[in-house]
Amino acid sequence: MIEQPTGLYRWLMRLMPLALLYIAFMIAVRFTSWIEWKPAADFSSSAYYQLALLLCLIIALLVGFLVIKRAPGNVCGPLIVYFCMMIVHPPFDTVTNNYLRAIVQFTNQTFGVIAIVLLLIYFPTGKAAVKGIERITLFISALLFLNSMLWIVAAPSLSDGSLIPNELYIAEFASLAPIAASGFPTILSIMLVSAVASFTIRFRRARQYERQQMRWFLAMGSYLIVLLVGWFTIPRMAGGLESTPGLLLRFAGIGINLVPAIGVGIPILTHRLYDIDVIIRRTLQYAILTGILAVIYFGGIILAQQAFRLITGQSSDLAIVISTLLIAALFTPVRRRVQEVIDRRLYRRKYDAEKMLQRFNTTLRDEVNLDELRQALISVVHDTMQPARLALWVRDAHED
Amino acid sequence: MNTRIATSNDTHSHNIGSVAVDGLIAGAGGGIVMVVYLLVAMATLGESPTSVLSRFASGDMQGSIMTGVVGHLAVSSIYGMVFALLGSLVLRGQPKPVRMFAGVFFGIALFVFAEFVLLPAFQSPMLGIPVLHFGIAHVIYGLTLGFLMKLR
C-alpha cells in the first residue's frame, strides 16, 4: 500500500545516505588502530560475536530496505535502517580514539533511542495513532539531541569504567554537566511513556489485522523479557556467564539487535500474517512441556541411579536409558495436558468450543428425538460460530 | 462436526498416560508442601532455609540449593506418578478421604524406605533432619498427594 509520504518520511529518506555512510564507517573503523581488541577470551572481542553482529546488521538492513520498497511512505522502513546505526557500534570499551568514543556515545543516545521510540509510535501504518503524542515526542527528540550534544562537551569523561578523559570537553560548560547527566534519563523516560501510551491506544482502537500485526511486535518484545529473566538468573548459577548457559545467553543477547527489524518487518512485509496466536500458543506449550520433561528426566536419573547403587553397588548408564524411555512415554499425555491448561486459561473461546462439541457428541449418542437434536445442533453452531443467520434444513424421509 | 476432538477427549480419562500426568502434578504439589513444612520445622530448630534446602542435593552436587530443590521436586513428582498408577488399580472411584488415607500410608512407606534404607546407603545430608520432622513431612506429602490426586 502506497502511503502519502509525510514530512518526517521525506527527511529520513533525504538523510539516508548519511546514515549508510556512517554504518560503512563504523564497519571500517574495526580494522584501524582506533579499536583495541581485548584478548580472545573476552566475549565481545571474539570473532564469533563480531560475525554474529555483522549478520544481525545485514538482516536488519535488508528488512529495512524491503519495508521501504514494499511500503513506500511508511516511516517504519527508514527507522529500521537508522536503528542499524546503533547495531554497528563496536564495544565502547574497545574504542581508543576519544572523538570516536564521543560519536558512538552521541549516536547511541540519540539515533538508536529515537528510532525505537518512533517505531512504537508509527508502527504498523506509518501514521501516528495520536497526533498530540507524535508532536510531543518529536519535540522531545529534538531536546534529546541538544542534551546529548551538551553532555559531549560538558562531561570531563564519557561514561565508561576506565575514565578516559574526554577530548571534546569544554571547561566553560562544566557547570551544565549535572543537567545533561540527569536530562538524559528524564527525557528518555518521558519518551518511553509517551511511546507506550501511543502503542496502547492504537492497540485498543485497532481492527483485527492491525492487532495481529501489533501482536507480532509484542511477541518479539517478549523475547526481551526472556532475556531479562536469563540475565537475572544465570549469573547467579554455578559458572555464571562463563558456563554454557551463560555463553548461550550472551549470544542470545545479540538477537536484541534484530527485535525492531523482525518485530516490525514481518508484520508489514507479509501479505498474509502467520497466525501469531498459534505461534504463541505452541511456544508456550512446548516451553512448559520441555521444562516439565526436563524435571522428570532429572528425577528419573536420580532415582534410577540410587536404585542401581543399592542393588549392584555402583552406578549404571541404564539409568539414563530408563529416564529417556520414561519421558518418551510421558511426552504425549503431558503435552495434551499442558495444551488443555493453556487453552482453558488463555484461549477460552477455543476451549469452550471444544467442550461444547464434546457435549453435543454425547447428546448425539443419547438423544433420539429429532426436534431435540435439531435444537441442540442449532444451539451448538450458534454458540461456537456466532453466525449472523442460521438455518437448518432437514429433508423429510417421505420426500422423493 | 469434528468427531476427532470428541473421540480423543472420550479416551482421555482412562489413559495410563493421563493418570501418570495427574500423579506427576499431585506429586509436585506434595513435594512443595513437604518442603514448606521442613523449612518451618527446621527454622524452629535454628537452621536457615538455605541450609535445609542444600541438604536435598546429594553426591557430587552436595550443597547446591537449586539442584537439591529441583531434584526433590522431580523425585516427588515421580513418586506421585507411582502412587497414581498404583492407585488407578485400587482407588478408582473412591472418595477423597479414602485417597488421602492411602496417601498417608504411601508417605509412611516412603519415609521408612528413605530413613532406614536409602539415605544411610548414600550417607545423605538429609539424615541430619530429625526423624520426627522427617516422618511428619512424609505424612504431609502423602496427605497432599491423596488430596490432589484425580482418579477418574
Side-chain angles (χ1 to χ4, degrees):
Chain A
M1 186 169 80
I2 297 177
E3 307 272 356
Q4 272 298 327
T6 59
L8 177 63
Y9 179 84
R10 283 196 211 100
W11 272 107
L12 288 174
M13 291 303 289
R14 274 180 204 147
L15 296 172
M16 182 78 65
L18 291 176
L20 295 174
L21 206 62
Y22 179 88
I23 291 170
F25 171 71
M26 280 296 163
I27 294 174
V29 120
R30 280 168 160 75
F31 302 100
T32 67
S33 59
W34 288 347
I35 305 292
E36 188 182 306
W37 296 107
K38 299 260 177 70
D42 186 70
F43 181 74
S44 58
S45 296
S46 76
Y48 294 115
Y49 180 87
Q50 292 300 315
L51 274 171
L53 210 59
L54 187 63
L55 191 63
C56 288
L57 176 69
I58 292 170
I59 293 171
L61 280 172
L62 271 172
V63 170
F65 285 122
L66 267 172
V67 174
I68 290 172
K69 186 171 175 350
R70 296 266 297 270
N74 190 325
V75 295
C76 295
L79 285 172
I80 294 173
V81 175
Y82 278 88
F83 182 75
C84 292
M85 292 169 70
M86 204 160 87
I87 298 176
V88 78
H89 283 149
F92 196 74
D93 56 355
T94 61
V95 179
T96 55
N97 182 287
N98 286 293
Y99 294 102
L100 188 59
R101 287 164 74 89
I103 292 171
V104 168
Q105 172 110 10
F106 178 76
T107 314
N108 275 343
Q109 283 187 345
T110 53
F111 289 97
V113 167
I114 292 172
I116 290 285
V117 169
L118 291 182
L119 274 173
L120 281 170
I121 288 179
Y122 290 108
F123 174 75
T125 60
K127 302 265 190 286
V130 182
K131 281 288 173 198
I133 291 180
E134 180 191 17
R135 286 187 197 118
I136 290 171
T137 309
L138 289 173
F139 172 71
I140 292 176
S141 301
L143 283 181
L144 190 67
F145 269 103
L146 290 171
N147 188 83
S148 296
M149 285 194 307
L150 181 62
W151 175 250
I152 295 296
V153 298
S157 164
L158 296 173
S159 63
D160 144 74
S162 58
L163 295 175
I164 296 176
N166 176 15
E167 291 198 11
L168 294 174
Y169 170 66
I170 300 172
E172 284 77 14
F173 287 102
S175 57
L176 298 174
I179 298 174
S182 57
F184 177 72
T186 309
I187 295 172
L188 181 64
S189 305
I190 297 172
M191 288 177 80
L192 283 174
V193 165
S194 60
V196 168
S198 172
F199 192 89
T200 308
I201 292 169
R202 185 195 289 275
F203 189 82
R204 290 173 73 97
R205 290 181 190 167
R207 285 189 297 243
Q208 174 84 8
Y209 186 75
E210 201 173 309
R211 267 200 185 194
Q212 285 283 84
Q213 289 178 306
M214 295 174 87
R215 278 204 198 114
W216 260 103
F217 191 83
L218 288 171
M220 287 308 295
S222 64
Y223 175 76
L224 291 177
I225 295 173
V226 170
L227 277 181
L228 278 171
V229 170
W231 278 111
F232 184 74
T233 53
I234 290 177
R236 288 171 167 74
M237 290 167 61
L241 289 175
E242 301 306 322
S243 63
T244 306
L247 277 172
L248 284 172
L249 177 68
R250 286 153 92 180
F251 265 110
I254 300 173
I256 286 180
N257 296 301
L258 285 177
V259 166
I262 293 177
V264 170
I266 287 181
I268 291 178
L269 289 173
T270 50
H271 169 60
R272 279 185 181 185
L273 287 173
Y274 301 115
D275 190 348
I276 186 66
D277 285 335
V278 172
I279 293 173
I280 291 172
R281 189 151 45 89
R282 289 284 158 88
T283 305
L284 265 177
Q285 182 184 324
Y286 285 102
I288 295 171
L289 177 65
T290 304
I292 292 173
L293 289 178
V295 168
I296 295 169
Y297 180 72
F298 186 48
I301 288 181
I302 292 176
L303 281 176
Q305 289 287 21
Q306 284 176 349
F308 277 117
R309 274 193 229 139
L310 265 179
I311 297 167
T312 64
Q314 56 191 10
S315 311
S316 170
D317 287 341
L318 214 52
I320 299 172
V321 173
I322 291 171
S323 256
T324 309
L325 287 173
L326 181 66
I327 60 170
L330 288 172
F331 181 86
T332 305
V334 174
R335 184 184 64 82
R336 202 188 302 129
R337 208 42 167 332
V338 169
Q339 188 175 329
E340 194 186 304
V341 170
I342 289 172
D343 283 346
R344 193 171 28 194
R345 296 272 173 247
L346 301 179
Y347 297 93
R348 192 79 209 186
R349 283 190 63 182
K350 179 183 180 294
Y351 177 78
D352 287 345
E354 284 188 8
K355 287 292 172 193
M356 256 180 245
L357 288 171
Q358 185 190 357
R359 278 199 295 270
F360 178 71
N361 195 44
T362 311
T363 307
L364 205 62
R365 251 196 336 243
D366 300 336
E367 185 61 65
V368 293
N369 186 312
L370 200 56
D371 287 330
E372 294 290 329
L373 267 178
R374 211 165 21 222
Q375 282 306 316
L377 178 60
I378 290 172
S379 170
V380 162
V381 173
H382 181 269
D383 289 342
T384 52
M385 309 290 283
Q386 280 113 38
R389 278 185 300 176
L390 177 62
L392 175 66
W393 176 72
V394 179
R395 186 176 161 188
D396 193 342
H398 298 300
E399 280 179 11
D400 287 333
Chain B
M1 185 179 68
N2 190 340
T3 54
R4 182 183 62 81
I5 295 169
T7 308
S8 66
N9 279 332
D10 276 347
T11 59
H12 172 70
S13 59
H14 302 295
N15 194 306
I16 284 181
S18 303
V19 170
V21 171
D22 287 339
L24 284 171
I25 296 167
I32 291 169
V33 175
M34 181 180 175
V35 164
V36 169
Y37 169 77
L38 280 174
L39 287 175
V40 171
M42 296 303 282
T44 62
L45 297 173
E47 191 165 338
S48 69
T50 47
S51 171
V52 175
L53 292 173
S54 66
R55 288 179 181 276
F56 288 99
S58 60
D60 296 336
M61 292 183 255
Q62 258 188 39
S64 168
I65 293 174
M66 191 165 273
T67 311
V69 171
V70 172
H72 170 75
L73 279 178
V75 168
S76 305
S77 301
I78 292 182
Y79 281 136
M81 185 177 72
V82 170
F83 178 74
L85 289 171
L86 291 173
S88 68
L89 297 173
V90 295
L91 293 174
R92 190 180 293 284
Q94 298 294 333
K96 198 164 274 205
V98 173
R99 295 205 297 267
M100 289 171 73
F101 203 59
V104 169
F105 268 114
F106 185 72
I108 292 173
L110 285 179
F111 161 69
V112 168
F113 177 66
E115 183 68 25
F116 299 107
V117 178
L118 203 63
L119 299 185
F122 299 105
Q123 287 301 303
S124 170
M126 282 199 276
L127 285 169
I129 298 175
V131 175
L132 177 67
H133 289 304
F134 202 53
I136 293 173
H138 278 83
V139 168
I140 288 174
Y141 167 77
L143 261 177
T144 312
L145 194 61
F147 180 77
L148 293 175
M149 188 65 58
K150 286 189 236 185
L151 289 170
R152 306 172 229 210

